[in-house]
């Protein structure tokens, strides 16, 4: 990776296709982990449901 241009608000770099693909995979994994973490937090605070309540909630979707 080499820095081509750098300003106060932007940095332009040159990357190989392989490194760019790897960075995109890491970004996708980060977004997925963030979504899972948010879901786990929602599970902790959501009220408990019995089977009938859960089925009714899913049918409403």
């Amino acid at each position: 990776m080499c820095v081509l241009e750098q300003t106060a608000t932007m940095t332009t770099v040159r990357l190989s296709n392989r490194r760019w693909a790897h960075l995109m995979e890491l970004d996708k994994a980060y977004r997925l982990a963030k979504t899972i973490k948010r879901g786990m937090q929602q599970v902790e605070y959501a009220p408990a449901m019995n089977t009938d309540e859960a089925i009714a909630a899913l049918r409403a979707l």
Side-chain angles (χ1 to χ4, degrees):
M1 173 172 51
C2 91
V3 176
L4 299 177
E5 179 183 353
Q6 189 169 9
T7 64
T9 59
M10 184 176 74
T11 301
T12 305
V13 296
R14 178 179 292 154
L15 297 172
S16 68
N17 289 340
R18 182 178 178 193
R19 185 170 290 219
W20 178 254
H22 182 65
L23 286 174
M24 291 299 100
E25 286 178 23
L26 290 174
D27 185 55
K28 186 188 282 187
Y30 171 77
R31 284 186 273 129
L32 177 61
K34 193 173 176 181
T35 302
I36 291 171
K37 183 179 177 186
R38 187 173 53 243
M40 294 300 290
Q41 289 172 346
Q42 289 176 353
V43 166
E44 289 179 12
Y45 298 112
M49 295 185 190
N50 63 26
T51 307
D52 295 330
E53 292 171 337
I55 291 172
L58 290 173
R59 286 190 178 146
L61 297 176

